[in-house]
Amino acid sequence: MAVTLVEGKRVVVCCGPGGVGKTSVSAAVALGLAATGARVVLVALDPTGRLAGTLGLEQLSNEPSRVSPERLASVETTVEGQLWAMTVERKQTFDDLVDGVIADPGRAHEIKSNRIYRELSCAIAGSQEFAAVARLFELERSGRFDVIVLDTPPSRSALDLLRAPGRLRAFLDSRALHAFKGRAGILGRGAARLLGVFGRLSGVELIADASTFFQLLGEITDEMGTRAVAADALLRASTTGFLLITVAEPAPVEETVWLARTLKDSALRTAGVVVNRMPGRSNLGELRRRFRPHDPILTVPDLRREVERIDDLWELHRHLFDLRGQPVLGRP
Ligand SMILES: Nc1ncnc2c1ncn2[C@@H]1O[C@H](COP(=O)(O)OP(=O)(O)OP(=O)(O)O)[C@@H](O)[C@H]1O
Ligand SMILES: [Mg+2]
């Protein structure tokens, strides 16, 4: 019987401990879904050069690049759907957000070249994760793709990702921020301390930049807040599933069990657990006991070579999707 783990999902988030094969498995999942006829985009948050190479792309950028159908075809399978791949560049994503909110291009340019904006859009805790979730939301809303497969950095960053919308909302609502916005021109002691990081600017430049920056915040906080709410809703939607990737070793299994529990406590849906690089005749009994009975477990063997060619992804795919055409992971 086919276990249709990602059936009906529009967003599949692959997460798990470091180095267990998240990137390899998410690429194989994306490939498999494309083979079922879907338009799929693989979003790799910390892409390795290896992934771009595997897909025959020079590099992954902030916009989706299409993997050529010739590249995707294996000896026995042609791919009916489409596979696209991209990454999320924080700076570019924030700039796009400004462009989307500020109608006047001259004003948008002024904001984007503002030094405080430039530094803060990269420095605020969680801004990388927020950029990723914001992008995910835009991609979903664009309707260009049937499924988005998200490859995340190791566990804890994946959790930061889930918390990013809430943290951003808390930041936007924070009293400190309102205090700053209220007195753009006259910087209080707190603001001066915050802006101490920009010590290399002269006082005059700093005040000019700060006042533009806080005006900007006033213009975009409502939109950012709306997006944070929408992004949070997207992660919680029934059409979003989390695929936990691990290997069958004690430490990563512990971490994955913890991750599964954390997802559950946050009311997020685990679609299934992939145990990668499974040694030959291992006993799954103990592993099954560690996860909740209704978290399905799939195993993928160790290929005993690097996952670096499209054929290697097809090999992983064979263990994730049923050979008789019945996808184990399901059809979107
Ligand atoms: N089933 C497999 N058989 C053999 N090698 C594998 C398998 N899966 C992954 N690998 C290898 O394991 C290494 C790590 O894989 P990958 O980059 O996919 O892991 P990751 O979880 O994304 O790592 P990171 O946490 O650093 O992002 C790579 O060298 C990859 O080729
Ligand atoms: Mg990776």
Side-chain angles (χ1 to χ4, degrees):
M1 195 182 67
V3 189
T4 51
L5 302 190
V6 294
E7 177 129 33
K9 298 295 180 205
R10 291 186 40 78
V11 177
V12 178
V13 184
C14 296
C15 44
V20 297
K22 296 177 295 299
T23 301
S24 308
V25 169
S26 48
V29 168
L31 173 66
L33 291 171
T36 68
R39 294 168 304 163
V40 183
V41 62
L42 171 63
V43 183
L45 293 187
D46 62 343
T48 55
R50 192 160 39 84
L51 177 63
T54 307
L55 301 175
L57 300 170
E58 208 146 285
Q59 59 173 40
L60 302 186
S61 75
N62 205 48
E63 288 301 322
S65 308
R66 185 165 177 188
V67 182
S68 81
E70 297 74 34
R71 181 85 180 189
L72 288 181
S74 75
V75 183
E76 66 264 32
T77 327
T78 51
V79 170
E80 303 272 314
Q82 301 176 5
L83 179 60
W84 299 69
M86 60 180 285
T87 185
V88 174
E89 286 157 12
R90 170 167 34 186
K91 171 79 172 58
Q92 191 58 48
T93 300
F94 277 97
D95 285 359
D96 291 349
L97 188 68
V98 171
D99 286 334
V101 175
I102 310 289
D104 171 6
R107 172 95 181 116
H109 178 76
E110 186 189 347
I111 288 164
K112 288 184 291 182
S113 44
N114 181 276
R115 271 167 292 207
I116 294 180
Y117 160 78
R118 285 199 335 240
E119 303 262 345
L120 277 190
S121 61
C122 290
I124 292 174
S127 63
Q128 172 73 61
E129 289 77 14
F130 179 73
V133 183
R135 200 78 176 95
L136 193 66
F137 168 66
E138 278 167 19
L139 284 167
E140 212 271 342
R141 197 177 50 172
S142 76
R144 278 178 74 184
F145 304 102
D146 302 310
V147 198
I148 303 165
V149 178
L150 183 68
D151 168 36
T152 65
S155 307
R156 281 166 212 279
S157 327
L159 287 178
D160 286 343
L161 189 84
L162 311 178
R163 292 177 181 143
R167 278 167 66 182
L168 184 83
R169 259 156 63 199
F171 173 73
L172 295 175
D173 291 343
S174 68
R175 256 199 270 153
L177 188 65
H178 283 286
F180 284 137
K181 282 196 290 182
R183 40 186 155 124
I186 332 142
L187 293 179
R189 234 197 307 157
R193 206 178 313 129
L194 174 78
L195 297 172
V197 283
F198 306 103
R200 62 182 180 281
L201 304 182
S202 78
V204 174
E205 282 175 316
L206 185 64
I207 287 172
D209 274 4
S211 91
T212 317
F213 175 71
F214 288 119
Q215 264 173 31
L216 149 79
L217 271 184
E219 288 172 49
I220 72 166
T221 46
D222 283 353
E223 176 64 18
M224 297 264 272
T226 308
R227 292 202 188 195
V229 172
D232 193 55
L234 174 62
L235 290 175
R236 288 169 200 291
S238 60
T239 47
T240 296
F242 290 79
L243 207 53
L244 304 180
I245 326 282
T246 185
V247 289
E249 284 158 23
V253 166
E254 274 327 302
E255 192 173 331
T256 309
V257 167
W258 169 81
L259 189 58
R261 203 175 305 133
T262 310
L263 290 180
K264 178 172 175 286
D265 292 346
S266 319
L268 297 162
R269 292 171 177 78
T270 295
V273 181
V274 175
V275 184
N276 189 27
R277 310 190 77 161
M278 193 73 185
R281 289 182 295 280
S282 287
N283 177 6
L284 267 185
E286 175 55 23
L287 265 174
R288 288 202 197 285
R289 268 192 294 283
R290 297 310 319 274
F291 292 94
R292 295 186 304 154
H294 51 278
D295 284 341
I297 297 183
L298 300 179
T299 59
V300 174
D302 196 313
L303 300 190
R304 304 193 172 282
R305 60 173 189 273
E306 284 291 320
V307 179
E308 55 190 355
R309 297 167 312 136
I310 272 287
D311 287 348
D312 301 327
L313 295 186
W314 279 112
E315 175 101 39
L316 298 183
H317 162 273
R318 272 190 274 285
H319 299 276
L320 295 165
F321 293 76
D322 187 313
L323 268 184
R324 288 174 297 282
Q326 186 73 288
V328 175
L329 285 169
R331 196 194 153 95

